Amino acid sequence: MAAKLAYQSSKWEKERQNNEKRYIAGKGKYAVQTNMENMIRRGLAKSADCSDYVSYYSSFSLSYRILAGRTYLRNNSDSQVIHYTYLSGIAAIFAYLLDIAHPAVNRDKTDQEDMVRDFSYGLLQLFAVQNYLPQCLNFLEHPYVQLLLGNFGKAVELLPTTLSEYDAAQPYAVLMSDAERLTVQAMAEKDEKALNHQLVQHIKNERKWPVGYSVFVDAYSIAYIKLARLNNMNCELDVIEVPKMFFDDAACKIDISEIKLPFFDDAVEQLEKSGIFWS
């Protein structure tokens, strides 16, 4: 059994109050929504190329992630939380795929590092909603890709290729902490005790962030719990950061004809030109 962990942190109520103030001040809209609308408007006014889509989707990924958290704070049963999590994950994955197809020249180091980290988290977000990854990703030598596709042995084999810190000489190298590697290992070995321990420690570490930086929807833990259950493992984590709605198959059913990224069809066309067929 996992160690005891409080259902929510002592900061949660303060975060909820601050969030409500922002919502009221924005007259029912968050600043991040206005920023996204402005970016979409600018995007529609020009002919975009791959570098533009990378910029758009890197920004959208963070924006949707913020919206998922803020929406959950206001109403912890609002299904928009699932939709925003899905869109954040897809945006991060699209940004990365478009970039590796057409690598940027002289990209800012921080932007590159963020994109690599966001891609890893995006994989977990997508799995947290849909329980699977598109097969078009299986060519990637990434521990999370292989783990979530069910190739546990391959995922472990790839762990030594990951880095703890960003290295400009290897701009696309997967970045993982020791704890993240141990969690992959625990999942691959189907070690329930180790997996539960790692997820509890993960939540404890996330709760150390100060007010204003808290994680409200933890796709990392959700994805691992779903993957564990698919592999008949006992993995439970009763905390507010792991919304129960993510374990409702009906709630997680995404109609991609209605819930899709801005510029989605154009971006898919760009991917196909690069030999990546999204499905």
Side-chain angles (χ1 to χ4, degrees):
M1 295 294 292
K4 288 291 184 182
L5 190 62
Y7 180 68
Q8 67 185 55
S9 74
S10 58
K11 302 190 297 288
W12 192 271
E13 182 57 25
K14 181 66 174 177
E15 293 280 22
R16 191 195 65 76
Q17 292 172 4
N18 289 347
N19 184 61
E20 194 64 20
K21 290 176 183 176
R22 290 191 189 94
Y23 189 76
I24 293 171
K27 299 179 180 179
K29 182 184 288 188
Y30 295 111
V32 68
Q33 290 172 292
T34 301
N35 293 340
M36 284 182 65
E37 289 168 359
N38 290 337
M39 182 173 287
I40 292 169
R41 204 158 31 242
R42 291 194 298 271
L44 290 171
K46 61 174 290 189
S47 178
D49 58 22
C50 272
S51 63
D52 291 318
Y53 289 125
V54 171
S55 176
Y56 296 156
Y57 289 141
S58 293
S59 177
F60 291 162
S61 178
L62 176 59
S63 297
Y64 283 125
R65 186 172 172 181
I66 291 170
L67 283 172
R70 298 212 179 286
T71 302
Y72 185 56
L73 273 175
R74 293 203 77 245
N75 180 355
N76 60 19
S77 61
D78 190 338
S79 62
Q80 278 290 100
V81 174
I82 292 173
H83 301 165
Y84 286 141
T85 299
Y86 166 81
L87 290 169
S88 177
I90 290 288
I93 292 169
F94 269 38
Y96 182 87
L97 292 177
L98 288 164
D99 191 73
I100 62 173
H102 300 276
V105 178
N106 299 322
R107 172 178 284 119
D108 178 80
K109 170 183 175 292
T110 301
D111 288 345
Q112 181 70 20
E113 179 178 353
D114 287 346
M115 184 180 66
V116 170
R117 292 190 186 280
D118 288 347
F119 173 68
S120 291
Y121 195 74
L123 295 167
L124 296 165
Q125 288 176 302
L126 189 57
F127 193 88
V129 175
Q130 295 197 314
N131 280 19
Y132 69 89
L133 294 182
Q135 286 297 318
C136 67
L137 298 177
N138 66 8
F139 74 97
L140 293 168
E141 298 281 281
H142 191 299
Y144 286 158
V145 170
Q146 298 306 321
L147 189 76
L148 297 173
L149 287 173
N151 303 324
F152 290 179
K154 180 65 173 177
V156 173
E157 287 177 14
L158 290 170
L159 290 179
T161 69
T162 64
L163 303 179
S164 296
E165 297 181 359
Y166 178 76
D167 180 357
Q170 303 177 69
Y172 295 101
V174 179
L175 303 174
M176 283 186 142
S177 66
D178 289 341
E180 288 168 336
R181 294 187 192 98
L182 287 172
T183 309
V184 170
Q185 189 87 34
M187 184 66 241
E189 295 176 356
K190 299 188 179 181
D191 185 334
E192 294 179 358
K193 182 178 180 180
L195 180 60
N196 279 289
H197 172 76
Q198 289 298 328
L199 294 182
V200 166
Q201 293 306 310
H202 168 76
I203 292 292
K204 286 182 176 179
N205 288 333
E206 291 296 303
R207 288 181 176 180
K208 292 177 182 178
W209 289 99
V211 171
Y213 297 89
S214 299
V215 172
F216 307 118
V217 179
D218 184 29
Y220 181 92
S221 295
I222 297 167
Y224 268 111
I225 293 170
K226 283 194 164 188
L227 184 60
R229 290 182 179 181
L230 286 172
N231 285 275
N232 300 312
M233 294 171 62
N234 181 21
C235 184
E236 302 292 340
L237 199 58
D238 186 22
V239 292
I240 200 167
E241 296 93 338
V242 178
K244 291 179 173 55
M245 70 177 86
F246 280 87
F247 303 94
D248 180 338
D249 291 342
C252 287
K253 187 175 179 59
I254 299 294
D255 182 348
I256 61 173
S257 67
E258 296 184 6
I259 303 170
K260 61 166 58 177
L261 290 171
F263 317 120
F264 178 82
D265 294 333
D266 291 338
V268 167
E269 184 178 344
Q270 291 286 343
L271 284 176
E272 290 179 352
K273 289 178 180 177
S274 303
I276 301 172
F277 294 87
W278 185 262
S279 60

